[in-house]
């Protein structure tokens, strides 16, 4: 049997590793490091082509940034390790403190300690000439009306009428902690299994695979996306007012979904989300006039950009490769690839203002560029975010946890009835883990109400 005068058990000695993980200093260090890392990740463009970094920072700096994984910071191993450490730190801190809170929230026995109640500060006492049973019968309706259903604890001649509310509110902060851990899980899941990339597609283009950033690997969507139409509307100033892409999702050769993508109105299909990110113009068709050098006969020819057109008189085919606004200070020019019937190929630059320049002058036709018709392409950002459901769950829990933490409290209010001589002393008091001024105000009101009670 434990002796009555035995000393309290010494606090449980924690393992150094557990103690380190439960350290608040570790939390502060990790948060600062993550914040600084995020700032660096914001200042340095992420997942851009190497040529862009070389042009902006120089080759040596590019190599240094690449070796530190600062060009794809949020997918780097060390950034994931920081997230994992912070999640572990939060879990350990929460577990360490939750054990004590759990005993308060879910006590084995629901009662108040009489000595602790009477010794608590801020109590208010009233004296009545009637005996405790009469006082209790008279005060019960008042206390119940003010506090709700009351618990009762009787020890000898002392009776405690008490009410407790909001024990679960002590778990609010842990709900917030849980939501943060879920956010980390979301971040790690998206970092490991997600991606974000960009594609530019003209009308009519079909894409089944998108390029993964910083790799030569493509990601198979598992379906095809076709851009049916792109529309852009502009203000009189020329600024874009609205632009959207009408698309069709195709699976197994059959259209399964028609939709449109606008700014702030993405489209998600089978876990892949398409955002309207940008747009631009591209040369859609090169219009040519072929002038027979011997007869002067003019033959119009349309060459879709990037495609072939058949030349007259069995000369072969002509494929458009490039359109440049100014080449060698000679004005706009079109680069074409001439493929002869025997398979031989000739690279041609056709200058709009000087059609007889270069290799084109050796051909039986003069190539006159009459017009370069432009079309729009749509710029789509493609993202796979496997952690998105975790983000939603974490967001809901965080809002719930914050609401409970800031707007609810664990409060106890009691009235202790003690027999003093022929009369009764009633001591009212309370405890709360927050908003102590609110509790004081409520006790004052209750005290005034009990003062007015007519007890004989």
């Amino acid at each position: 049997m434990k002796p009555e005068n035995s000393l309290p058990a010494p606090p449980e000695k924690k393992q150094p590793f557990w103690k380190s993980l439960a350290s608040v200093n570790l939390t502060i260090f990790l948060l600062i490091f993550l914040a600084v890392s995020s700032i660096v990740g914001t200042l340095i463009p992420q997942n851009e082509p190497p040529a862009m970094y070389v042009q902006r920072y120089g080759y040596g700096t590019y190599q240094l940034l690449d070796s530190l994984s600062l060009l794809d910071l949020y997918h780097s191993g060390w950034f994931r390790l920081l997230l994992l450490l912070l999640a572990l730190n939060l879990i350990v801190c929460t577990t360490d403190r939750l054990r004590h809170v759990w005993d308060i929230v879910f006590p084995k026995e629901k009662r108040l300690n009489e000595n602790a109640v009477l010794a608590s500060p801020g109590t208010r006492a009233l004296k009545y000439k009637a005996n405790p049973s009469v006082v209790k019968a008279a005060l019960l309706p008042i206390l119940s009306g003010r506090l709700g259903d009351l618990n009762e604890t009787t020890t000898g001649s002392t009776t405690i009428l008490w009410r407790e509310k909001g024990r679960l509110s002590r778990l609010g902060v842990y709900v917030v902690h849980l939501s943060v851990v879920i956010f980390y899980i979301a971040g790690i899941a998206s970092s490991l299994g997600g991606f974000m990339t960009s594609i530019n597609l003209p009308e009519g283009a079909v894409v089944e695979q998108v390029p993964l950033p910083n790799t030569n690997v493509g990601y198979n969507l598992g379906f095809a996306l076709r851009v049916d139409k792109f529309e852009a509307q502009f203000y009189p100033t020329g600024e874009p007012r609205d632009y959207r892409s009408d698309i069709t999702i195709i699976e197994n050769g059959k259209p399964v979904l028609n939709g449109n993508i606008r700014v702030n109105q993405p489209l998600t299909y089978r876990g892949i989300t398409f955002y309207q990110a940008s747009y631009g113009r591209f040369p859609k068709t090169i219009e040519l006039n072929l002038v027979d050098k011997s007869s002067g006969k003019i033959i119009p020819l349309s060459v879709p950009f990037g495609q072939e057109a058949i030349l007259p008189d069995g000369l072969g085919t002509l494929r458009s490769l490039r359109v440049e606004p100014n080449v060698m200070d000679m004005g706009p020019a079109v680069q074409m690839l001439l493929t002869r019937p025997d398979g031989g190929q000739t690279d041609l630059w056709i200058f709009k203002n000087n059609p007889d320049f270069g290799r084109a002058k050796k051909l039986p036709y003069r190539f006159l560029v009459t017009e370069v018709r432009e079309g729009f392409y749509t710029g789509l950002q493609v993202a796979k975010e496997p952690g998105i459901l975790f983000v939603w769950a974490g967001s809901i829990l965080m809002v719930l946890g914050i609401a409970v933490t800031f707007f609810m409290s664990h409060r106890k209010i009691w009235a202790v009835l003690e027999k003093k001589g022929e009369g009764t002393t009633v001591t009212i008091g309370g405890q709360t883990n927050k908003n102590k001024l609110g509790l004081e105000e409520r006790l004052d009101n209750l005290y005034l109400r009990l003062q007015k009670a007519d007890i004989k």
Side-chain angles (χ1 to χ4, degrees):
M1 179 179 288
K2 185 178 179 181
E4 291 183 354
N5 59 348
S6 62
L7 296 173
E12 183 182 353
K13 191 172 182 179
K14 298 173 184 174
Q15 296 296 324
F17 180 68
W18 181 272
K19 192 176 178 181
S20 300
L21 277 180
S23 168
V24 176
N25 291 335
L26 177 63
T27 310
I28 296 172
F29 170 78
L30 290 172
L31 287 174
I32 292 175
F33 205 104
L34 280 170
V36 172
S37 302
S38 300
I39 292 172
V40 172
T42 303
L43 295 176
I44 300 176
Q46 300 290 296
N47 299 314
E48 295 293 338
M52 192 283 290
Y53 295 112
V54 173
Q55 183 180 12
R56 176 174 290 189
Y57 303 114
Y59 186 69
T61 306
Y62 160 70
Q63 282 190 311
L64 176 63
L65 296 176
D66 189 41
S67 63
L68 296 175
S69 301
L70 294 179
L71 305 181
D72 189 14
L73 187 149
Y74 302 110
H75 293 90
S76 64
W78 62 266
F79 191 81
R80 289 168 180 161
L81 181 62
L82 284 178
L83 289 178
L84 182 62
L85 268 178
L86 189 57
L88 282 176
N89 172 253
L90 195 57
I91 291 171
V92 171
C93 284
T94 301
T95 305
D96 215 35
R97 291 157 180 75
L98 184 60
R99 287 181 294 184
H100 307 293
V101 175
W102 195 264
D103 292 338
I104 297 173
V105 176
F106 302 103
K108 293 178 182 177
E109 186 180 3
K110 195 175 179 182
R111 61 176 293 128
L112 282 183
N113 184 293
E114 177 187 343
N115 295 328
V117 164
L118 291 175
S120 65
T123 55
R124 295 144 177 83
L126 301 102
K127 293 182 180 178
Y128 299 96
K129 294 180 180 178
N131 61 55
S133 59
V134 174
V135 173
K136 176 184 172 185
L139 295 187
L140 262 179
I142 301 172
L143 293 170
S144 299
R146 292 279 176 170
L147 305 178
D149 295 335
L150 296 172
N151 301 295
E152 180 174 337
T153 302
T154 301
T155 306
S157 60
T158 301
T159 299
I160 305 176
L161 302 172
W162 55 283
R163 169 75 171 170
E164 182 179 19
K165 289 180 67 177
R167 272 187 293 151
L168 289 176
S169 68
R170 289 183 177 269
L171 297 178
V173 67
Y174 299 99
V175 174
V176 175
H177 287 188
L178 176 62
S179 71
V180 175
V181 172
I182 291 176
F183 281 136
Y184 295 151
I185 294 174
I188 292 173
S190 294
S191 176
L192 292 176
F195 66 84
M196 182 171 286
T197 188
S198 299
I199 53 175
N200 294 328
L201 300 173
E203 289 181 346
V206 179
V207 62
E208 298 180 354
Q209 190 179 77
V210 296
L212 291 177
N214 295 327
T215 69
N216 295 320
V217 181
Y219 179 85
N220 286 313
L221 297 173
F223 56 87
L225 179 140
R226 183 181 69 210
V227 178
D228 297 322
K229 189 177 180 182
F230 176 80
E231 283 188 344
Q233 297 177 346
F234 299 89
Y235 291 107
T237 59
E239 294 293 322
R241 183 174 62 183
D242 184 29
Y243 47 99
R244 75 174 198 184
S245 304
D246 294 338
I247 59 97
T248 298
I249 301 293
I250 302 169
E251 279 196 275
N252 300 320
K254 296 180 181 177
V256 293
L257 176 68
N258 294 102
N260 56 67
I261 306 170
R262 310 174 97 115
V263 177
N264 297 327
Q265 187 180 309
L267 182 142
T268 300
Y269 186 77
R270 292 180 58 175
I272 307 294
T273 302
F274 298 89
Y275 298 90
Q276 183 68 65
S278 62
Y279 68 93
R281 296 177 183 272
F282 75 103
K284 191 174 183 181
T285 307
I286 292 93
E287 300 291 342
L288 300 174
N289 275 344
L290 275 58
V291 182
D292 191 319
K293 291 181 179 176
S294 58
S295 65
K297 181 181 176 182
I298 298 175
I299 303 173
L301 182 69
S302 293
V303 185
F305 187 74
Q307 300 180 33
E308 288 184 341
I310 299 174
L311 292 170
D313 301 331
L315 289 176
T317 60
L318 199 63
R319 176 188 290 272
S320 58
L321 301 178
R322 246 167 108 185
V323 175
E324 292 292 335
N326 188 9
V327 177
M328 297 186 296
D329 293 330
M330 295 172 65
V334 178
Q335 185 183 19
M336 295 281 192
L337 182 65
L338 172 65
T339 302
R340 294 184 294 276
D342 60 2
Q345 293 184 323
T346 302
D347 191 13
L348 298 176
W349 276 100
I350 302 174
F351 290 84
K352 186 174 182 179
N353 302 330
N354 192 356
D356 295 324
F357 180 81
R359 295 172 180 170
K361 66 183 180 182
K362 299 179 181 178
L363 299 174
Y365 288 92
R366 296 180 71 214
F367 290 76
L368 306 180
V369 178
T370 58
E371 184 180 7
V372 176
R373 297 184 187 276
E374 290 188 326
F376 282 107
Y377 68 80
T378 179
L380 299 179
Q381 195 172 56
V382 187
K384 182 182 179 185
E385 300 164 314
I388 192 68
L389 291 179
F390 291 105
V391 172
W392 279 107
S395 301
I396 292 171
L397 284 177
M398 178 163 279
V399 171
L400 179 65
I402 289 175
V404 170
T405 301
F406 285 98
F407 301 110
M408 296 180 67
S409 61
H410 181 200
R411 177 179 291 183
K412 296 178 186 175
I413 296 179
W414 58 76
V416 182
L417 283 67
E418 294 177 285
K419 182 176 175 54
K420 297 289 185 181
E422 297 299 322
T424 303
T425 298
V426 176
T427 305
I428 60 172
Q431 284 181 346
T432 183
N433 63 335
K434 62 189 74 165
N435 191 18
K436 295 187 186 302
L437 289 177
L439 175 65
E440 292 295 325
E441 184 178 354
R442 187 160 192 187
L443 289 176
D444 287 341
N445 291 334
L446 182 61
Y447 178 79
L448 293 175
R449 182 68 183 87
L450 295 182
Q451 266 190 327
K452 298 176 182 175
D454 183 16
I455 301 175
K456 298 179 180 176

